[in-house]
């Protein structure tokens, strides 16, 4: 029996879809069977980020309205077997998906997969309710911006009313130089306000956007900082305890020596 | 009627008249006697208004009877009722008072979009986040970070206070007073409280330790009785 995790944020554009793609990919790389579910009906993106857009034949609304079997709608990833995608519908309306329908689909997916990662649309209306309905756990994504943290707080409040384990937090798109200058909220401050467990932090990196545009989630790349961050997040989902990545850029030999002697730079 | 025991005794003080009403006779007798007594005490038209307070002793009057009593006093020139006081209240009223002074404890984080509304005082063990709101008819005590809105004394109790372990509210409201955070970025303050300073007509934020000077009757049921 698998586990379903919804990835949500309230605010749009903080990286829910990118996080879904990368966390799913990283989990699959660790040998888990993973299914990604896109619930953003009418504005589907997950298939694009995964580079699977051209393989879509049926979508989630087709499954709900029984135009096809669930297995027919699932798209196997082109790179490896362990990863599948259930795409959202592009032409339907949000009301075509219902919380009951989602619960049924997720239950069915749990039979075959270890992890079901649900990509939630922005907002707190019907789309959000659909996405959350089938989830056992939740991950809240936020960026170090006040507006984004405010919306994350709202979402956490709403998640508390659901039958879901206490959500965990990913702080995305951290720009370290801005944090150091005090122009951006730092991670401690965000965790302090939201008072939920921190699952991971991801630095802002052009490579992430580049990779998404190529339909290759960054988690496939072996040694960028962002991919390492996503892999660490996945390891924490699996229950390992992994220390947070340092956001500092490498400063060369001198800085390392100073650090070795415990001198603060 | 014997004059040995007066049903209504009138006393003049510098604040006006005080009427002591005997609490053993019937209510009808009180009304009759009061009407009679006040009639005798004729006042000139050019005298200022006289304020009257009525002491009922151990007599309980319901709303209808109170209105009758007021009616009698108003029927006479130059008299204004300042207060009617009784030493007894009904169980019902007592329960209401108790509800108004009870402390409700809560253990949670009040997040953006959430509103806590409490009758009486509230003790919140947790934070009030920006966009969240906590309101009470009495005082608000936050053991945690107050970053959102707190509204104490929502029914108009200007003696209500707001205390927090960490104060960085977006707004503090007490009764009809509102104060907001400054437009520039500030650090919050630890262990402080907000109360209304009636001389300055605004909400003051000060150290918690000053509370027992500013609001000495903060604890106890009586403060509700006194304030109504």
């Amino acid at each position: 029996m698998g586990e379903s995790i919804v990835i949500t944020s309230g605010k749009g554009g903080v990286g829910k879809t990118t996080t879904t793609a990368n966390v799913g990919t990283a989990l699959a790389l660790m040998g888990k069977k993973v299914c990604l579910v896109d619930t953003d009906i009418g504005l589907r993106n997950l298939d694009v980020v995964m580079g699977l857009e051209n393989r879509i034949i049926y979508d989630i609304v087709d499954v709900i309205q029984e135009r096809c079997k669930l297995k027919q709608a699932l798209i196997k990833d082109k790179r490896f077997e362990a990863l599948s995608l259930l795409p959202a519908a592009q032409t339907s309306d949000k009301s075509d998906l219902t919380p009951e329908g989602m619960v049924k689909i997720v239950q069915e997916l749990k039979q075959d997969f270890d992890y079901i990662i649900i990509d939630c649309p922005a907002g707190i209306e019907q789309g959000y309710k659909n996405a959350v309905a089938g989830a056992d756990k939740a991950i809240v994504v936020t960026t170090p911006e006040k507006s984004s943290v405010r919306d994350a707080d709202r979402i956490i409040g709403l998640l508390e009313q659901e039958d879901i384990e206490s959500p965990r937090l990913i702080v995305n798109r951290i720009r370290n130089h801005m944090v150091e200058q005090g122009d951006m909220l730092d991670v401690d401050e965000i965790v302090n306000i939201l008072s939920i467990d921190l699952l991971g932090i991801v630095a802002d990196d052009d490579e992430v956007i580049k990779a998404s545009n190529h339909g290759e989630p960054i988690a496939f790349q072996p040694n960028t900082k962002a991919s390492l961050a996503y892999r660490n997040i996945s390891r924490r989902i699996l229950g390992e305890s992994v220390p947070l990545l340092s956001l500092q850029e490498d400063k060369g030999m001198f800085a390392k020596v100073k650090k070795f002697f415990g001198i603060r730079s | 009627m014997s004059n040995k025991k007066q049903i209504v005794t009138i006393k003049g003080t510098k604040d006006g008249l005080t009427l002591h009403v005997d609490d053993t006779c019937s209510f009808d007798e009180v009304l009759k006697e009061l009407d009679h007594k006040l009639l005798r005490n004729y006042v000139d038209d050019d005298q200022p208004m006289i304020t009257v307070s009525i002491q009922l002793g151990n007599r309980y009057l319901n709303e209808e009877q109170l209105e009758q009593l007021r009616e009698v006093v108003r029927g006479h020139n130059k008299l204004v009722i300042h207060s009617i006081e009784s030493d007894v209240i009904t169980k019902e009223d007592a329960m209401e008072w108790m509800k108004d002074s009870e402390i409700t404890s809560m253990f949670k984080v009040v997040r953006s979009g959430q509103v806590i509304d409490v009758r009486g005082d509230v003790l919140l063990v947790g934070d009030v986040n920006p966009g969240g709101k906590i309101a009470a008819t009495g005082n608000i005590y936050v053991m945690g970070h107050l970053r959102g809105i707190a509204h104490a004394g929502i029914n108009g109790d200007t003696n209500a206070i707001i205390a927090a372990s960490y104060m960085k509210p977006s707004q503090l409201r007490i009764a009809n007073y509102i104060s907001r955070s400054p437009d520039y970025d500030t650090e919050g303050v630890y262990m402080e409280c907000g109360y209304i300073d009636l001389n300055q007509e605004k909400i003051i934020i000060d150290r918690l330790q000053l509370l027992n000077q500013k609001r000495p009757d903060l604890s106890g049921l009586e403060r509700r009785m006194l304030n109504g």
Side-chain angles (χ1 to χ4, degrees):
Chain A
M1 197 68 174
E3 184 176 279
S4 55
I5 304 172
V6 63
I7 304 215
T8 181
S9 71
K11 194 174 183 297
V14 299
K16 285 180 295 296
T17 303
T18 312
T19 304
T20 308
N22 284 300
V23 168
T25 304
L27 280 169
L29 282 169
M30 283 165 204
K32 298 292 172 189
K33 285 196 79 183
V34 179
C35 181
L36 308 176
V37 180
D38 190 353
T39 60
D40 201 350
I41 312 291
L43 290 168
R44 71 172 176 216
N45 293 144
L46 189 53
D47 51 311
V48 182
V49 173
M50 295 299 295
L52 300 171
E53 192 181 12
N54 56 357
R55 289 167 165 77
I56 297 176
I57 298 164
Y58 293 112
D59 55 49
I60 192 166
V61 172
D62 291 325
V63 179
I64 289 223
Q65 298 179 344
E66 294 179 349
R67 281 192 288 270
C68 70
K69 292 255 165 50
L70 178 58
K71 291 238 161 65
Q72 289 175 288
L74 288 179
I75 302 165
K76 279 243 152 45
D77 188 81
K78 58 188 174 190
R79 287 148 293 227
F80 56 126
E81 282 273 300
L83 192 61
S84 296
L85 168 74
L86 179 59
Q90 188 67 319
T91 50
S92 304
D93 191 73
K94 275 203 167 101
S95 57
D96 290 337
L97 203 60
T98 58
E100 298 78 38
M102 268 307 286
V103 171
K104 225 177 108 191
I105 289 180
V106 171
Q107 285 302 337
E108 206 176 328
L109 287 171
K110 275 189 193 170
Q111 311 294 331
D112 298 330
F113 293 93
D114 299 320
Y115 285 95
I116 295 111
I117 314 284
I118 303 163
D119 185 19
C120 178
I124 52 173
E125 300 90 9
Q126 187 63 43
Y128 157 80
K129 286 174 189 151
N130 290 337
V132 166
D136 304 323
K137 291 184 177 179
I139 294 174
V140 173
V141 183
T142 185
T143 61
E145 288 164 66
K146 272 193 172 176
S147 53
S148 163
V149 172
R150 199 65 46 89
D151 288 0
D153 192 39
R154 179 94 174 94
I155 278 286
I156 295 165
L158 292 172
L159 284 169
E160 281 169 356
Q161 295 162 17
E162 304 285 334
D163 188 19
I164 282 184
E165 266 182 50
S166 174
R168 293 197 279 177
L169 183 71
I170 293 179
V171 183
N172 200 7
R173 296 229 186 116
I174 301 170
R175 298 192 200 173
N176 200 42
H177 61 279
M178 288 184 75
V179 175
E180 279 173 352
Q181 286 161 13
D183 294 328
M184 202 173 228
L185 295 170
D186 70 15
V187 176
D188 287 344
E189 215 172 327
I190 296 168
V191 173
N192 195 342
I193 290 178
L194 297 179
S195 50
I196 58 173
D197 290 344
L198 183 65
L199 185 62
I201 53 176
V202 184
D204 194 38
D205 190 346
D206 292 348
E207 290 298 319
V208 178
I209 301 168
K210 214 164 113 189
S212 288
N213 283 339
H214 286 119
E216 294 265 339
I218 189 114
F220 279 116
Q221 299 177 13
N223 47 18
T224 62
K225 270 208 152 175
S227 100
L228 209 57
Y230 283 118
R231 287 173 188 214
N232 282 351
I233 288 169
S234 307
R235 284 167 66 189
R236 289 185 200 109
I237 291 176
L238 294 176
E240 287 179 46
S241 118
V242 189
L244 286 180
L245 276 184
S246 155
L247 290 168
Q248 253 90 40
E249 301 295 321
D250 291 335
K251 284 177 191 151
M253 196 53 199
F254 188 57
K256 278 182 188 160
V257 171
K258 273 214 285 194
K259 202 176 170 194
F260 182 77
F261 287 110
I263 305 166
R264 288 201 168 194
S265 46
Chain B
M1 206 190 326
S2 79
N3 271 351
K4 271 183 194 162
K5 193 166 188 207
Q6 299 248 331
I7 293 177
V8 179
T9 325
I10 303 182
K11 275 184 187 159
T13 63
K14 63 177 194 291
D15 300 323
L17 293 178
T18 309
L19 308 183
H20 291 275
V21 179
D22 181 67
D23 52 21
T24 51
C25 64
S26 79
F27 184 59
D28 284 342
E29 275 181 86
V30 171
L31 288 181
K32 220 159 66 184
E33 175 74 7
L34 193 61
D35 199 35
H36 184 66
K37 278 245 163 107
L38 292 176
L39 206 63
R40 276 202 317 205
N41 290 294
Y42 177 76
V43 279
D44 280 329
D45 277 346
D46 50 331
Q47 277 192 332
M49 300 293 273
I50 301 167
T51 54
V52 178
S53 47
I54 302 175
Q55 301 282 351
L56 292 170
N58 289 330
R59 180 193 292 278
Y60 175 76
L61 296 184
N62 60 29
E63 276 304 311
E64 201 180 321
Q65 289 170 320
L66 282 174
E67 194 44 46
Q68 280 178 342
L69 192 67
R70 285 196 197 101
E71 202 60 34
V72 170
V73 178
R74 271 196 223 112
H76 298 275
N77 273 342
K78 297 290 176 187
L79 296 182
V80 188
I81 294 188
H82 172 247
S83 65
I84 301 179
E85 278 171 31
S86 164
D87 292 343
V88 287
I89 57 164
T90 59
K91 276 188 182 173
E92 219 172 285
D93 286 345
M95 289 304 284
E96 294 290 297
W97 268 339
M98 204 181 82
K99 273 183 200 156
D100 279 333
S101 53
E102 259 177 349
I103 295 189
T104 309
S105 311
M106 288 188 169
F107 303 86
K108 68 174 290 188
V109 177
V110 182
R111 298 185 181 278
S112 175
Q114 295 178 331
V115 179
I116 301 278
D117 208 338
V118 168
R119 178 151 177 209
D121 295 353
V122 60
L123 169 66
L124 177 77
V125 183
D127 299 343
V128 181
N129 278 354
K133 184 181 172 187
I134 184 162
T137 62
N139 305 315
I140 295 173
Y141 314 111
V142 180
M143 276 185 74
H145 295 218
L146 174 54
R147 298 192 186 91
I149 298 175
H151 190 174
I154 42 178
N155 291 342
D157 180 4
T158 51
N159 278 317
I161 62 113
I162 298 166
S165 323
Y166 176 82
M167 270 281 194
K168 200 194 171 188
S170 57
Q171 274 186 13
L172 281 190
R173 305 181 190 172
I174 300 176
N176 298 324
Y177 294 79
I178 297 180
S179 75
R180 62 165 174 77
S181 59
D183 288 325
Y184 50 88
D185 255 357
T186 49
E187 287 288 306
V189 286
Y190 286 91
M191 295 297 172
E192 304 238 330
C193 63
Y195 60 87
I196 295 177
D197 186 326
L198 285 171
N199 296 328
Q200 295 182 54
E201 290 263 302
K202 65 175 185 185
I203 298 177
I204 307 276
I205 294 184
D206 219 330
R207 288 163 57 228
L208 278 185
Q209 287 77 0
L210 291 172
L211 263 185
N212 68 343
Q213 295 167 25
K214 301 288 177 189
R215 297 282 186 274
D217 49 0
L218 202 58
S219 54
L221 186 65
E222 299 94 306
R223 80 192 144 100
R224 298 292 163 208
M225 293 190 173
L226 297 173
N227 298 333

